[in-house]
Amino acid sequence: MTILVFSVLQGLLIATALLAGHFTLDTAKGRAALFAAMSCCGALLAFFGQRYHVGADVYPLLVSWAVLILPWVLVSRMLSAWCLWLGLLNLALLLYFGQTGFTPLNGLVASLFFIASSMAAVFWLKRERRTTHHAAEINSEPQLVDHNTVKHNRGGLILIGLMLILAVVNQAIWQKEQGLASGAHAQLPAKKPTIVPSK
């Protein structure tokens, strides 16, 4: 059953990432598919944590999720993707402080980090869009940049991110399964020697 759930989640992740590459990130469908792929990555890690009883140590999974989707967040240039990424980091920071001794000062630091990084992301996205829009208005000459090449490069980055996520998650699953298997063998009770009564 576990393998089936992992297979379904990885299949959804692959399908959404491939759809994002197919539609390209210049379309709403492509951006929605990439955001769905980021969400599938989180669902995969959440099931991993549930299956292998991560317990109270949830913040490493959140940090892993943020690190794994970072290439997609950078490529997407979507405000929603940046908000997801920053939210993951902020939540991981709060959970970490909660486990290591949460104080109001730590909470204030986490909140300030989230606010500052959110403002930086919004500022960067608005500046990027304004620069792109302004350049398109001014430049009426034939463009030197081939947009098809840019689309293919972004599609390639989506596939590289997908392969990275699958490699990391499958390696972690394999290591956990090996650990469970070796632990099960170690916990098997030793057979008691049978004593045959002598006649």
Side-chain angles (χ1 to χ4, degrees):
M1 183 66 180
T2 302
I3 300 299
L4 177 63
V5 176
F6 273 126
S7 300
V8 168
L9 289 173
Q10 290 190 26
L12 286 171
L13 176 65
I14 292 168
T16 51
L18 290 178
L19 279 174
H22 173 72
F23 288 123
T24 73
L25 299 178
D26 297 328
T27 63
K29 289 180 183 178
R31 290 191 296 272
L34 188 60
F35 192 82
M38 294 179 200
S39 303
C40 287
C41 178
L44 184 60
L45 289 174
F47 183 71
F48 176 85
Q50 180 188 11
R51 168 68 178 91
Y52 298 111
H53 308 292
V54 173
D57 294 332
V58 179
Y59 66 89
L61 287 177
L62 295 173
V63 172
S64 300
W65 185 7
V67 168
L68 288 173
I69 66 170
L70 179 59
W72 287 350
V73 172
L74 292 172
V75 167
S76 71
R77 297 181 180 178
M78 290 189 299
L79 186 57
S80 56
W82 277 105
C83 288
L84 171 65
W85 188 76
L86 292 168
L88 289 173
L89 287 185
N90 188 53
L91 185 57
L93 200 60
L94 288 173
L95 290 173
Y96 174 75
F97 284 146
Q99 288 181 3
T100 58
F102 184 80
T103 64
L105 179 61
N106 291 338
L108 179 64
V109 169
S111 299
L112 288 175
F113 169 76
F114 179 68
I115 292 168
S117 52
S118 300
M119 288 174 62
V122 170
F123 174 76
W124 180 79
L125 283 170
K126 286 186 176 180
R127 184 174 175 269
E128 187 73 23
R129 287 180 182 165
R130 194 179 327 123
T131 305
T132 306
H133 182 68
H134 186 63
E137 286 180 352
I138 292 176
N139 191 8
S140 58
E141 299 176 5
Q143 296 185 0
L144 299 175
V145 178
D146 184 7
H147 290 289
N148 289 328
T149 305
V150 173
K151 289 178 185 177
H152 289 306
N153 288 341
R154 290 168 78 185
L157 289 174
I158 291 172
L159 290 178
I160 289 170
L162 174 64
M163 289 187 292
L164 174 70
I165 291 170
L166 292 175
V168 169
V169 171
N170 284 324
Q171 179 67 22
I173 292 169
W174 184 80
Q175 286 180 347
K176 289 290 185 180
E177 287 294 330
Q178 291 296 101
L180 288 177
S182 63
H185 289 307
Q187 292 175 358
L188 287 176
K191 288 187 178 180
K192 294 181 180 179
T194 55
I195 302 172
V196 179
S198 58
K199 291 183 180 179

